[in-house]
Amino acid sequence: MKVLLSWLREFAPDIDGDLAVLSDQLTMLGLAVEEVTVTGELVPGVVLAKVLDLRPHPNADKIQLVDVDAGDGNALQVCCGAFNMSIGDLIPFATVGTVMPNGMEIAQRTMRGQLSNGMCCSGAEIDMGDDQDGILILNDQVVDGAELGASLAEALGIERDVLWDLEVNANRPDAMSVAGVARDLAAALGISFDFPAYDLVRSTERIDGLVKVDIIDPELCGRFVAGVLRDLTVGSSPVWMQRRLTALGMRPINSVVDISNYVMLELGQPNHTFDLDRLPGGHLQVRRAREGETLLTLDGVERGLVSTDGVITNTNDEIVSLAGVMGGTTTEISDTTTNVLVEMAWWDPPSISRTVKRLNLPSEASTRFRRGADWGDNIDRAMQRFMQLAVQAGATAVDGYVDEAGVTPSTAPVRIRAAKINSIIGTDLPSDVIAGHLTSIGFGVGAVSSGATPAGNNSELDVTIPTWRWDTTSETDIAEEVARLYGYENIVRTVPAGSLTGSLTPYQQDRRHVRQVLVGAGCDETLPMPFLAPGDLRAAGLAEDGVSLTNPLVAEESVLRTSLLPGQLKAVAYNQSYGNRPPRFFEIDHVFLPAPEGSLLPDEREYLAVALAGEEAPTAVAILDLLERTLALPNVQLRPASPAGMHPTRSAEVVIAGRVRGHVGEVDPDVLQNYEISGRVAWLELDLGAVLNGPHGNRKYRPVSKQPTSNIDLAFEVSDGVAASAVESQLRRAGGQLLVSLELFDVYRGVGVADGTRSLTYRLRFQAQDRTLTDGEVAKLRNECIAAVAKKTKATLRT
Amino acid sequence: MLTEITAARDAALVEIEVADALDHIAALTTRLAGKKGELSLLKRQLGSLDTVEAKKAAGQAINEAIAAVGEALDQRRRLLTMEMLAARVEAERLDLTEFVGKPSRGHAHLVTQAWERLEDVFIGLGFRVAEGPEVETDWHNFEALNMGEGHPARGEFDTLFVDHVPPGGKPGTTLLRTHTSPVQIRTMLNSEPPIYIVAPGRVFRRDTPDATHMPVFHQIEGLVVDRGITMADLAGTIEAFTKAFFGSGFTSRLRPSYFPFTEPSAEFDIQRPNGDWIELGGCGMVHPNVLRAGGIDPEEWSGFAFGFGIDRMAKERHGVEDIREMYTNDIRFLEQF
């Protein structure tokens, strides 16, 4: 909402003070100032001049010679390219030395042999409208007694003005008007606010019998007031009105449209005009549309209507207007219109909203109706103002209005407790101060009961709600008004007395730890979009059982991921396409699995993924090992498997404490091809949520033995069909408590080892807590280990 | 005899002088100066001398010769050891600049870094960190936050809906959360006051991406519910956060605004040391209807809530020009932070 200082002053004449302070005041009222512009400072050096003579240029067709009187009584010759002036016209004239808004400096110069001593200006050249085709003719616009040579601002009675562009919140429809902003500002400044009396002379003709209004659907229309104007001529509106409309962002159209818009901006009451002569019997009916009905609206579009749309019909039940949204063409004001029916109505906000949304027809008017206009005195005031402005434009106002009522929202008084208001804001305001803030913006306050003193804050008050603030229905609504007028900036800041000990949950701490360890391991964290394109899951070898968006912005972002794999592969491919170094990526993020039967929401889980481009499966296993140590995961096993999307012979399921929690290995070459990735990608994906919510982190102290250790190395020839982990588990079982560490330190295939087998060399370290192991004991352990492996895995000891 | 001793000593000293390896010195030590070394063996000839004086003089001469040879061996050993170490050190010379700039450390994402810094500041102010699902019910995202069906404010969120239909529920009631506020509701329902939480997380809007907007972004939300909580506490907490996160030269203000889920509502701005105001987020006193939806009696408890964007914090801290770049996952971007 834009407002002009001069316009605000018509309601609160005492608004004054430093511009920055006023702007701050508006912002702190909740009318945030987005932009301040000082206007009305016309171009210095441009003066009022009179055309004395016009004659052809002897050497040019496209320019003529003009003699003007710029105030000194002498004829000053100017060359001019416009031909719309007549002798005697008053025009804006840029004297020599004037710097025009476009930066050009006016100088005396010669054009085709003739002297030019200044410039006659078009409206566009001096920021007074869009017209650049002709010189701006000011004959009707200068103030009485204006002298030639006077500055244009003085001649036109234009004063310096301030334009504020305010952000008005959705709960403040009252501030969608100049008067509403003035009411708030006056209250904050502690100055008076009043509506002017809109005096006008009416004809003796009465409206009775001219107009009839039937509200058939009272839920749709809370109030409908109609007035009639006669002898109207549709012309252009006065310059002052055009200037204000333009300043507030509306384009001047003609006198009728401009008055309509002016009243709406000034008082916040949207309105509509009908050509009365095209309304048989002056009869209007308000009802809902019937499915299938249509209306040719003012913008020339045939609109199909539905049963929630509000419409106005004529006496033949033919639709003439889409209530509160847009009029129809059949009753449109035309150049030949002389008799006008003016509608001032209050429409049900949800009804207007539905129609505006369905037809995508937002407008200044419907926005005010949607947020909730005022059905009270403001409608009468707006009608009076409309009539007054029309009469000033030459029309005749028929006496009286037709005024029909429907259903309006309740504005029952709200009982407030001063103590509660104070406890919300954190203040200790006496009830009379609270009352004062409320009455300053038009609320009514009556005391119900008092505390210890009349001004005490134990009082209860009954607050009556003005019709322009009908969304105010509760004690907290009132508290907001009091806080706003008391000033948020005046609230003395405290911190809550009872705050607790802040902390991360163990889960959150572990997650951070995982992130730090992965960063330390050289992985970069990525945040791909959680949306996938249809087919992304299939291309990654995964089932297409994800949850989809029903209204995606684009089809490429319509499927929610069930795995982090597609997003990571896209990120890898993206980096490869730019020739970046091979990515080592990780991601900790949500995936969305199909909802289990009877579940309110999809099965949302937090996963961890690691993608190592150019690496083979063992690197991913090493990362898993790092995580195992980081989180002290119990009993991590790799179970050979071919999980979806993974390399069929280079992948395994990750089993932690007996539960499958993810998989590790390499991405399936087919999948890599689908994502246009070259080289291998080592991959690890874990259900991090399940891992962190499962057993982990047990780091119970084990005494450090001071006893000597015995190391033995054992090399086995193991069939390729037997997992190294199987050999390892036999060694651990046979080694028992005395086996304090076990390391697979060499894997060898080739000469000296049979085909289909490989050599696995383990270093076993034995140690007791309480004694030196004897050679005999170590030899016995060694034999038991060899026997256990041989028995369970058929592996043979290499010698 | 004495002449023989002197000759043996001098020969030994010459041998030591020309020894050029430590193992040679070790061999010489055994052969020359050991208990059964050449000089010691001379003592066996002492018996052939006639007089006690001659025996004594020769014995002394042998001992002196052994000491002199021992001393020479030590000196030579030290010298050779020094030379050997010097040669090894010289041979090991490395140009360390050859090893500069090899990427070995990864990077937490820019957004995560901002996220964790924010969490840490609020933890310092006594908050715990709460989380919730990204796919939400209409009830948690709107209804419980005082935005019933048909509430005009719903239209401003540009919600993305998913095709999941809850059992017995209606289609179009499962959505991607448009703000982190549903976590407020979940926290209130799952715990008893007093509540002091922040809820960071990803949120979604049906917005076309541009330099300052993404359809997917991150917010952090705060909720306090306790006895006697006032707007003064809200303003004070925002101020404490401002100073802790941005620095002591920054300050904050609240100004009236409108949100369906808080009343009174406010925008909060922060002021840079140079005087510029920056809009940061929204806040207000938790609306009684929201407390009720969370199973909390608004006559007994009151609270405040606040929220703002995390991505913008990250973007402005590092001067990133286009927010979309934060989500390309380009290594050349990621490794800058």
Side-chain angles (χ1 to χ4, degrees):
Chain A
M1 176 73 201
K2 292 179 178 171
V3 293
L4 281 166
L5 177 60
S6 61
W7 208 342
L8 292 172
R9 281 184 176 149
E10 290 182 12
F11 300 92
D14 300 333
I15 296 175
D16 204 357
D18 184 71
L19 197 53
V21 174
L22 287 177
S23 296
D24 203 41
Q25 195 72 252
L26 286 165
T27 293
M28 294 311 290
L29 279 163
L31 306 169
V33 174
E34 305 207 305
E35 200 180 351
V36 195
T37 324
V38 176
T39 66
E41 290 186 328
L42 298 183
V43 185
V46 177
V47 300
L48 184 67
K50 185 175 178 177
V51 178
L52 299 178
D53 191 25
L54 296 165
R55 40 179 204 285
H57 190 292
N59 307 319
D61 294 340
K62 298 250 170 93
I63 50 179
Q64 62 174 336
L65 298 177
V66 187
D67 282 346
V68 300
D69 176 356
D72 59 5
N74 297 323
L76 199 60
Q77 178 177 291
V78 189
C79 299
C80 181
F83 292 84
N84 66 322
M85 291 169 284
S86 308
I87 292 172
D89 278 350
L90 297 174
I91 58 162
F93 180 71
T95 52
V96 169
T98 301
V99 178
M100 301 301 288
N102 66 5
M104 181 180 76
E105 185 173 344
I106 304 297
Q108 187 184 61
R109 58 194 190 119
T110 306
M111 295 173 80
R112 297 230 167 181
Q114 292 289 325
L115 211 55
S116 187
N117 297 292
M119 187 172 88
C120 307
C121 304
S122 71
E125 281 165 335
I126 51 171
D127 290 343
M128 287 185 65
D130 301 331
D131 191 355
Q132 50 189 355
D133 294 337
I135 300 306
L136 183 64
I137 309 297
L138 299 169
N139 301 358
D140 302 334
Q141 302 185 16
V142 295
V143 297
D144 291 343
E147 293 185 353
L148 298 181
S151 79
L152 203 57
E154 195 184 325
L156 298 177
I158 298 173
E159 285 170 14
R160 176 183 176 276
D161 212 339
V162 180
L163 180 72
W164 281 286
D165 190 357
L166 306 174
E167 184 191 359
V168 177
N169 292 311
N171 66 332
R172 293 296 311 280
D174 65 300
M176 297 281 285
S177 67
V178 175
V181 172
R183 181 193 288 119
D184 254 26
L185 187 56
L189 296 171
I191 58 175
S192 67
F193 166 84
D194 272 308
F195 289 99
Y198 300 122
D199 297 326
L200 73 151
V201 177
R202 293 172 181 280
S203 77
T204 51
E205 185 188 13
R206 289 278 311 166
I207 197 167
D208 314 270
L210 285 179
V211 172
K212 182 174 173 234
V213 175
D214 291 318
I215 299 178
I216 295 167
D217 187 335
E219 302 285 339
L220 168 65
C221 182
R223 193 175 169 201
F224 196 116
V225 178
V228 171
L229 288 163
R230 293 203 182 278
D231 310 323
L232 190 95
T233 43
V234 178
S236 52
S237 50
V239 168
W240 63 266
M241 183 181 283
Q242 291 193 25
R243 210 158 48 223
R244 280 190 168 176
L245 290 173
T246 306
L248 269 66
M250 298 202 87
R251 198 161 54 90
I253 310 278
N254 62 46
S255 50
V256 178
V257 175
D258 290 357
I259 290 172
S260 171
N261 285 333
Y262 191 88
V263 170
M264 176 180 69
L265 294 173
E266 181 170 71
L267 298 171
Q269 174 60 47
N271 49 79
H272 185 63
T273 48
F274 298 88
D275 186 333
L276 184 60
D277 296 330
R278 294 157 88 178
L279 278 177
H283 185 198
L284 294 175
Q285 308 186 76
V286 176
R287 63 166 171 85
R288 302 277 175 180
R290 291 183 276 271
E291 295 286 337
E293 281 186 305
T294 60
L295 173 68
L296 187 61
T297 47
L298 286 176
D299 53 1
V301 179
E302 179 91 13
R303 307 279 176 182
L305 305 180
V306 298
S307 62
T308 50
D309 296 327
V311 294
I312 302 173
T313 67
N314 64 13
T315 196
N316 302 322
D317 204 30
E318 292 156 351
I319 299 173
V320 295
S321 177
L322 197 48
V325 178
M326 194 179 272
T329 51
T330 56
T331 55
E332 187 178 0
I333 306 295
S334 69
D335 292 349
T336 58
T337 301
T338 55
N339 297 314
V340 171
L341 185 152
V342 181
E343 164 207 327
M344 298 276 169
W346 188 88
W347 302 104
D348 174 52
S351 299
I352 300 295
S353 279
R354 274 193 294 271
T355 302
V356 167
K357 268 199 248 177
R358 190 176 60 78
L359 297 175
N360 191 23
L361 263 179
S363 68
E364 289 277 343
S366 64
T367 300
R368 285 167 174 79
F369 285 132
R370 287 172 74 179
R371 292 185 177 186
D374 179 359
W375 64 83
D377 295 345
N378 201 50
I379 283 191
D380 307 82
R381 188 179 299 123
M383 184 62 97
Q384 185 83 354
R385 179 63 159 155
F386 195 113
M387 294 284 148
Q388 184 206 34
L389 292 170
V391 168
Q392 281 174 11
T396 306
V398 168
D399 196 19
Y401 304 124
V402 168
D403 189 347
E404 298 294 338
V407 178
T408 47
S410 158
T411 50
V414 176
R415 181 159 301 178
I416 61 165
R417 296 159 290 177
K420 181 69 176 177
I421 300 293
N422 277 313
S423 79
I424 292 170
I425 308 174
T427 46
D428 197 18
L429 304 175
S431 62
D432 57 346
V433 171
I434 291 173
H437 284 313
L438 292 170
T439 51
S440 74
I441 51 167
F443 286 76
V445 180
V448 180
S449 65
S450 285
T453 63
N457 54 22
N458 295 324
S459 320
E460 292 195 0
L461 306 169
D462 266 348
V463 178
T464 50
I465 309 302
T467 48
W468 62 89
R469 293 304 305 274
W470 55 271
D471 65 310
T472 310
T473 57
S474 68
E475 201 174 37
T476 41
D477 291 339
I478 302 283
E480 181 167 73
E481 294 307 311
V482 174
R484 205 165 62 82
L485 291 155
Y486 174 69
Y488 283 15
E489 71 276 26
N490 295 322
I491 297 169
V492 178
R493 295 163 177 178
T494 54
V495 285
S499 61
L500 307 173
T501 307
S503 63
L504 291 175
T505 62
Y507 182 102
Q508 291 159 347
Q509 288 172 5
D510 284 339
R511 186 174 51 197
R512 278 200 187 187
H513 198 182
V514 165
R515 181 178 288 122
Q516 285 159 3
V517 164
L518 290 172
V519 166
C523 299
D524 291 324
E525 187 180 22
T526 54
L527 285 180
M529 291 286 107
F531 306 132
L532 303 176
D536 279 354
L537 287 169
R538 186 162 23 90
L542 303 170
E544 293 192 289
D545 54 359
V547 180
S548 290
L549 302 188
T550 55
N551 61 335
L553 206 58
V554 287
E556 290 70 38
E557 298 180 351
S558 62
V559 177
L560 289 181
R561 60 186 170 197
T562 55
S563 157
L564 301 178
L565 181 58
Q568 285 297 320
L569 292 179
K570 285 181 181 181
V572 168
Y574 177 91
N575 280 281
Q576 281 193 348
S577 74
Y578 281 96
N580 293 342
R581 68 176 163 80
R584 293 170 65 87
F585 281 157
F586 78 98
E587 181 184 4
I588 298 173
D589 232 323
H590 291 211
V591 298
F592 308 86
L593 309 183
E597 188 65 29
S599 168
L600 205 55
L601 289 172
D603 185 9
E604 188 168 334
R605 289 162 180 262
E606 187 158 60
Y607 274 15
L608 161 70
V610 179
L612 308 165
E615 299 281 355
E616 301 195 28
T619 321
V621 175
I623 296 282
L624 175 64
D625 184 65
L626 193 62
L627 295 175
E628 180 181 344
R629 290 161 200 272
T630 300
L631 296 169
L633 298 175
N635 193 14
V636 176
Q637 293 183 335
L638 299 187
R639 184 188 294 162
S642 313
M646 301 284 293
H647 193 298
T649 59
R650 289 187 158 208
S651 301
E653 284 175 344
V654 178
V655 182
I656 300 172
R659 309 286 290 270
V660 177
R661 297 300 191 199
H663 38 266
V664 65
E666 280 176 37
V667 178
D668 190 327
D670 265 0
V671 169
L672 293 178
Q673 205 165 15
N674 292 340
Y675 281 85
E676 296 176 2
I677 291 170
S678 59
R680 297 173 181 276
V681 175
W683 177 252
L684 167 66
E685 188 169 24
L686 292 177
D687 183 340
L688 185 67
V691 171
L692 295 183
N693 287 320
H696 72 282
N698 181 6
R699 299 180 201 270
K700 195 171 183 314
Y701 163 75
R702 287 191 313 269
V704 176
S705 174
K706 304 274 195 301
Q707 304 298 327
T709 57
S710 304
N711 293 341
I712 54 173
D713 293 348
L714 296 175
F716 294 98
E717 194 166 303
V718 186
S719 159
D720 282 338
V722 173
S725 59
V727 176
E728 186 181 318
S729 67
Q730 289 309 315
L731 291 172
R732 286 197 190 282
R733 200 181 56 74
Q737 291 284 324
L738 297 175
L739 179 64
V740 292
S741 85
L742 173 66
E743 184 194 354
L744 173 62
F745 76 89
D746 186 51
V747 179
Y748 171 74
R749 287 180 175 81
V751 180
V753 182
D755 280 354
T757 70
R758 79 282 201 201
S759 163
L760 302 176
T761 308
Y762 292 90
R763 172 154 296 169
L764 298 85
R765 183 167 223 201
F766 293 101
Q767 186 184 36
Q769 282 292 342
D770 53 356
R771 65 186 191 283
T772 303
L773 292 175
T774 64
D775 290 350
E777 278 177 303
V778 174
K780 184 163 171 282
L781 284 164
R782 183 175 184 278
N783 289 337
E784 283 167 359
C785 285
I786 294 166
V789 170
K791 186 174 177 206
K792 294 287 183 183
T793 70
K794 310 284 183 249
T796 55
L797 189 71
R798 298 182 72 215
T799 48
Chain B
M1 179 82 199
L2 287 175
T3 316
E4 203 178 334
I5 291 167
T6 306
R9 184 198 69 191
D10 292 348
L13 289 177
V14 169
E15 262 194 285
I16 291 166
E17 190 64 34
V18 300
D20 59 358
L22 279 172
D23 50 356
H24 196 180
I25 293 290
L28 286 178
T29 304
T30 310
R31 181 160 65 79
L32 301 175
K35 292 253 185 274
K36 294 179 178 173
E38 285 172 10
L39 286 168
S40 293
L41 288 178
L42 287 174
K43 288 182 180 170
R44 293 185 184 168
Q45 299 173 26
L46 291 178
S48 64
L49 293 176
D50 307 337
T51 64
V52 174
E53 284 73 20
K55 284 180 184 171
K56 203 173 170 182
Q60 193 178 341
I62 291 169
N63 283 341
E64 281 171 9
I66 290 173
V69 166
E71 175 67 15
L73 281 167
D74 281 352
Q75 266 184 25
R76 190 69 188 153
R77 189 183 295 113
R78 276 198 296 275
L79 183 73
L80 287 175
T81 303
M82 263 167 56
E83 280 176 7
M84 187 205 70
L85 283 175
R88 191 178 110 196
V89 165
E90 183 56 37
E92 286 176 345
R93 180 177 294 279
L94 282 185
D95 175 6
L96 298 187
T97 64
E98 289 171 11
F99 306 94
V100 170
K102 299 263 167 67
S104 59
R105 156 195 180 270
H107 305 81
H109 195 276
L110 187 61
V111 168
T112 312
Q113 292 181 33
W115 173 318
E116 292 189 350
R117 285 197 329 117
L118 288 165
E119 280 180 346
D120 291 344
V121 166
F122 283 113
I123 288 168
L125 295 172
F127 287 74
R128 294 180 182 170
V129 179
E131 294 169 49
E134 293 173 5
V135 176
E136 265 293 5
T137 67
D138 176 275
W139 188 83
H140 286 93
N141 195 74
F142 289 125
E143 192 95 25
L145 289 160
N146 203 29
M147 286 181 281
E149 208 177 332
H151 194 289
R154 281 187 177 211
E156 290 166 26
F157 282 104
D158 294 322
T159 311
L160 287 162
F161 292 92
V162 303
D163 58 6
H164 171 73
V165 180
K170 287 188 295 183
T173 56
T174 310
L175 46 82
L176 290 169
R177 65 179 177 190
T178 57
H179 46 187
T180 41
S181 308
V183 182
Q184 288 187 22
I185 303 298
R186 291 183 177 275
T187 304
M188 286 192 278
L189 290 173
N190 293 336
S191 55
E192 297 293 319
I195 293 168
Y196 290 80
I197 57 138
V198 286
R202 175 178 289 144
V203 299
F204 305 80
R205 302 276 170 90
R206 198 172 180 280
D207 266 344
T208 309
D210 63 27
T212 55
H213 296 90
M214 285 292 286
V216 176
F217 55 103
H218 302 82
Q219 283 184 340
I220 187 162
E221 176 117 359
L223 171 71
V224 166
V225 180
D226 204 343
R227 287 194 168 84
I229 294 293
T230 69
M231 270 186 90
D233 294 325
L234 167 60
T237 301
I238 295 289
E239 179 69 6
F241 160 74
T242 301
K243 294 222 177 319
F245 188 77
F246 295 100
S248 59
F250 288 73
T251 186
S252 64
R253 74 172 177 196
L254 305 191
R255 58 183 164 83
S257 189
Y258 170 71
F259 305 104
F261 27 90
T262 50
E263 191 160 42
S265 296
E267 296 277 347
F268 67 94
D269 302 335
I270 57 162
Q271 191 175 33
R272 289 204 168 102
N274 69 7
D276 290 349
W277 287 100
I278 311 156
E279 278 186 46
L280 205 68
C283 61
M285 301 303 291
V286 182
H287 197 284
N289 291 347
V290 176
L291 290 173
R292 278 186 210 106
I296 289 172
D297 177 3
E299 282 298 312
E300 185 180 356
W301 305 93
S302 59
F304 64 74
F306 56 85
F308 54 93
I310 296 176
D311 307 56
R312 214 182 105 199
M313 297 281 153
K315 179 175 176 281
E316 289 182 5
R317 181 178 172 84
H318 299 282
V320 178
E321 283 165 12
D322 189 326
I323 206 158
R324 287 169 292 195
E325 208 179 345
M326 304 207 311
Y327 294 98
T328 57
N329 300 310
D330 191 315
I331 296 176
R332 295 166 295 175
F333 178 85
L334 296 173
E335 67 186 7
Q336 292 179 35
F337 309 103

